[in-house]
Amino acid sequence: MSAKKVLFITQEITPYVPESELSLIGQNLPQAIQDKGLEIRTFMPKWGNVNERRNQLHEVIRLSGMNIIIDDTDHPLIIKVASIQAARRQVYFIDNDDYFQHRLMTTDENGKEYEDNGERAIFYARGVLETVKKLRWCPDVIHCHGWMSAMVPLYIKKAYNDEPSFRDSKVIFSVYGDGFKSDLASNFKKQLEFRDVTAEDAQIAKDPVNYTELCKLAIAYSDGVIQNSENIDPAIMDYARSLNIPVVDFQPEDSYADACKTLYDQVCEGKAE
């Protein structure tokens, strides 16, 4: 069975944030996959440096309004959307006053990494999945890009595995060279807990949880892995190959989208026709 619907959960998309390896792929890959005839949805965080007026973002009231509880604290979920008219597609933004409004991406204005980056990633992952549920959309493949999406594979396999929107979804995790430098909070694994997900489910990531360990955690619950940067920690890809799941090596730009589509179909082959 070939993939027909792909959910892109990414960290950066140009032109909403400055150009980078991640933001260019965040823009170009969904377009290329849509051009191949697949149905797509795309999500990114509503970072504080996203200009809402210039990019014509607006809140989707029917999707907003729920609270996500992390560490016994309620965090309101706000959903915004922008249209890329020329490309005939939309981008959904996950927003929250505490985690994203008036705050930049991985680091603040002085280059200091935010101490709650782990919490922000948890909120983002759960926010996307709750929104897709509300959309009543059932992706065949969920393609995760960037450390902000690293919690998605665990939640799909352990917390949302019986949800109609996700019970048949396969998860792909793309590994990038750029991540974060500081360790995540010491209680990060406890903060992860939700539904059937316990801190024990995150034990593949050694303490303290750094970028390499977070990538390993994402890979452990993924159905396929792509090396998206030419230079990354070899331990990450070695771990991926040890799991006997499909692994795609770094691809040149002209073959990247085709390699992704081939992997999507490969991981979907195990589904019932």
Side-chain angles (χ1 to χ4, degrees):
M1 175 179 169
S2 61
K4 296 179 175 63
K5 297 180 180 179
V6 182
L7 171 62
F8 292 98
I9 305 178
T10 190
Q11 188 170 309
E12 303 171 24
I13 300 173
T14 185
Y16 304 109
V17 296
E19 286 192 4
S20 66
E21 181 179 50
L22 218 167
S23 69
L24 287 167
I25 288 175
Q27 172 66 282
N28 296 332
L29 179 62
Q31 186 63 51
I33 295 302
Q34 179 175 274
D35 290 345
K36 292 179 183 295
L38 280 71
E39 187 178 336
I40 68 165
R41 296 285 188 278
T42 307
F43 283 79
M44 72 170 279
K46 213 298 289 177
W47 305 112
N49 58 337
V50 175
N51 188 311
E52 295 193 40
R53 180 175 295 179
R54 185 173 65 230
N55 293 298
Q56 298 183 322
L57 272 66
H58 63 271
E59 184 175 351
V60 186
I61 302 297
R62 68 182 179 89
L63 297 177
S64 300
M66 75 172 293
N67 284 346
I68 291 179
I69 301 172
I70 301 174
D71 224 5
D72 297 325
T73 302
D74 282 13
H75 301 276
L77 174 63
I78 302 167
I79 309 301
K80 296 175 180 175
V81 69
S83 296
I84 303 175
Q85 298 292 350
R88 298 177 294 105
R89 62 187 178 92
Q90 293 180 315
V91 175
Y92 291 90
F93 294 83
I94 298 295
D95 201 1
N96 171 267
D97 289 346
D98 297 325
Y99 292 133
F100 300 116
Q101 280 284 359
H102 313 299
R103 298 174 70 184
L104 302 181
M105 296 190 282
T106 308
T107 62
D108 64 17
E109 295 85 348
N110 299 314
K112 182 181 179 182
E113 293 184 353
Y114 294 108
E115 293 181 359
D116 62 350
N117 272 339
E119 254 186 87
R120 299 168 87 204
I122 292 168
F123 180 87
Y124 178 54
R126 288 175 52 188
V128 171
L129 299 181
E130 291 295 339
T131 304
V132 173
K133 277 175 53 182
K134 283 190 174 183
L135 290 170
R136 297 182 179 179
W137 196 66
C138 304
D140 298 306
V141 173
I142 301 171
H143 192 166
C144 304
H145 297 261
W147 64 265
M148 279 291 292
S149 70
M151 301 301 96
V152 171
L154 170 61
Y155 284 136
I156 286 291
K157 297 302 173 70
K158 290 285 186 175
Y160 291 84
N161 51 312
D162 287 332
E163 294 279 0
S165 289
F166 304 115
R167 66 166 61 112
D168 295 322
S169 299
K170 301 297 183 180
V171 187
I172 305 296
F173 184 69
S174 277
V175 183
Y176 289 82
D178 278 343
F180 50 87
K181 304 295 188 294
S182 304
D183 297 333
L184 298 182
S186 58
N187 63 335
F188 170 69
K189 292 178 183 177
K190 182 70 176 173
Q191 293 172 330
L192 272 173
E193 294 184 346
F194 171 65
R195 293 186 178 175
D196 293 336
V197 175
T198 69
E200 290 298 312
D201 294 318
Q203 288 309 310
I204 183 63
K206 297 176 183 177
D207 293 316
V209 180
N210 58 24
Y211 178 63
T212 293
E213 295 301 319
L214 187 67
C215 287
K216 288 182 180 179
L217 177 60
I219 290 168
Y221 292 96
S222 294
D223 299 290
V225 176
I226 300 175
Q227 180 178 337
N228 260 67
S229 297
E230 193 165 7
N231 298 307
I232 63 169
D233 183 349
I236 297 175
M237 299 311 297
D238 288 345
Y239 176 71
R241 293 186 180 92
S242 76
L243 298 180
N244 196 31
I245 58 175
V247 175
V248 176
D249 293 327
F250 179 74
Q251 298 288 312
E253 185 177 349
D254 60 355
S255 62
Y256 175 67
D258 287 336
C260 288
K261 175 62 167 64
T262 298
L263 181 60
Y264 299 164
D265 292 342
Q266 184 179 357
V267 298
C268 287
E269 282 177 1
K271 293 183 181 181
E273 294 292 342

